Amino acid sequence: MIGLTGGIGSGKSTVARLLTDCGALVIDADALAREVVAPGTPGLAAVRDRFGAGIVRPDGTLDRAALGAVVFADPAARRDLERITHPLIRTRTREIIAAAPVDTIVVHDIPLLVETGVQAHYHLVVSVDVDTEERVRRLVSSRGMTEADARGRIAHQASREERLATADVVIDNNGAPQALEPQIEALWRRAVTFEDHLRRREPVRRPERPVLVVADPAWPDQARRLLGRLRYRLAPLLGEDLALHHIGSTAVPGLAGADVIDLQIGLPSLLDADRADVREALDQLGFPRDEGADGDPADTAGGWPEWLHLSCDPGRIVQLRLRPVSSPAWRWALLRRDWLRAVPDVREEYARLTRELAAREATTVAYARAEESWWRADAARAEEWASATSWRIPAA
């Protein structure tokens, strides 16, 4: 499930057409909004009952201009319209998806994805990006709008910054049309591989050899989007106070590290991780369990019980650790992250260590074990810092 969005004048429809050509099932939210109020539908009857016969033309079709004049000037009326149409659109969307083959890549073309806050519903969000001045130019030249009208329409939508903050993939459409093709091809390759791994519940693993990269300022936003999806799927099952955190090197600004997003979920009990509904939710989201992980879920005496889940997305390697919130491992992951964030000397010492280990160790497993040995040997210093600063476990 891919959510596709982009502001007016961005060329989102062109991207949707190219994805259709690749083989995607594109569901156009605007087209469904028209379909559910077509002549003779229960949706149109409900709209007519609420807003009067004046919003229906003599030929039985909806007079969108007349309806718009009512709802755009009256927020309560707009909410009434949404209460009628949105459930019908959701039902029709589910019907289309249910009828599709199991290996279908569904692209939901939804202009108001950001405004409606539904980004967590999708495995990936794709935003078509064009700078504001180019959008204005296109709207004036291709749609005959005045410049003032074009800027007004743009201003009433989500900002460019808001769209970019929700996007896992940004399609740059500022250039010539042919510049889109390699971007769409790369997106499609990622989507096809993602779908294959998701369907087979086969995670994408980190490289066998340790590789460090310079700190990426996009890491925190990537983690935030992933945590949002996890919260959306798991909070109804485990409670709204579910503890989710970004941990590891990518959670420390400016620190080089492996290009792997480490996340942690704190559970009331590790038994919750084996609940069928929790396992299924994680599988559907694209986080199957790594059955071959080194962690011992029975290690309750040692204080390090956990289950490791990995992402199916080839474009973003993720390690997701499920741990009891009362366990030392859960607390320690947060303490060492915050210690590195707060103390530059420790951060630099750790950076030197990881560079040495990456050059010395032949495998990622050996690298991780040597790194953990350093952390365990240095735990006392971290605890001293926690005591001196009155450190407390941060809120999720």
Side-chain angles (χ1 to χ4, degrees), residues 45-275:
V47 171
R48 183 182 59 242
D49 290 345
R50 166 59 180 85
F51 296 100
I55 54 91
V56 179
R57 295 191 182 99
D59 64 358
T61 61
L62 178 66
D63 187 334
R64 296 185 175 278
L67 179 61
V70 176
V71 301
F72 288 125
D74 183 349
R78 185 171 66 251
R79 287 192 293 271
D80 286 346
L81 177 63
E82 291 169 350
R83 276 193 285 268
I84 295 170
T85 59
H86 285 188
L88 297 172
I89 294 170
R90 286 194 293 268
T91 297
R92 184 67 185 119
T93 300
R94 286 194 291 266
E95 291 172 350
I96 295 172
I97 294 171
V102 68
D103 60 349
T104 301
I105 295 172
V106 177
V107 176
H108 197 184
D109 179 350
I110 177 167
L112 299 182
L113 182 147
V114 176
E115 292 86 339
T116 53
V118 296
Q119 53 267 31
H121 298 194
Y122 301 96
H123 293 101
L124 291 175
V125 170
V126 176
S127 181
V128 184
D129 180 53
V130 177
D131 70 59
T132 301
E133 294 307 313
E134 176 62 15
R135 290 167 65 193
V136 170
R137 188 194 67 77
R138 292 179 184 179
L139 291 172
V140 171
S141 63
S142 65
R143 300 198 192 183
M145 293 185 184
T146 66
E147 181 177 335
D149 285 344
R151 292 189 185 279
R153 291 286 297 274
I154 290 172
H156 277 84
Q157 294 186 335
S159 70
R160 184 183 185 189
E161 292 72 23
E162 289 171 328
R163 290 187 193 281
L164 293 177
T166 67
D168 302 288
V169 177
V170 177
I171 301 295
D172 182 355
N173 194 23
N174 283 287
Q178 56 267 31
L180 281 175
E181 294 179 6
Q183 298 180 77
I184 299 301
E185 289 171 1
L187 169 61
W188 188 248
R189 285 194 299 270
R190 178 176 177 177
V192 167
T193 305
F194 195 165
E195 185 284 323
D196 178 65
H197 280 259
L198 180 68
R199 178 163 34 86
R200 294 188 295 110
R201 301 189 177 187
E202 177 65 30
V204 176
R205 302 179 187 279
R206 62 191 298 176
E208 291 186 4
R209 294 187 61 84
V211 177
L212 303 185
V213 299
V214 297
D216 187 342
W219 282 337
D221 282 339
Q222 293 172 5
R224 174 182 51 77
R225 291 192 292 269
L226 290 162
L227 291 172
R229 293 183 178 112
L230 288 163
R231 183 172 295 281
Y232 170 73
R233 293 294 184 98
L234 295 179
L237 306 178
L238 297 168
E240 293 299 327
D241 58 347
L242 188 64
L244 300 103
H245 295 94
H246 182 197
I247 58 172
S249 297
T250 59
V252 181
L255 181 63
D259 189 15
V260 178
I261 300 294
D262 284 291
L263 306 175
Q264 175 173 267
I265 299 180
L267 302 173
S269 165
L270 202 60
L271 294 176
D272 291 314
D274 272 332
R275 283 172 39 182

Side-chain angles (χ1 to χ4, degrees), residues 375-389:
W375 275 116
R376 296 201 181 215
D378 236 25
R381 278 204 300 158
E383 293 293 352
E384 289 173 3
W385 172 82
S387 178
T389 60

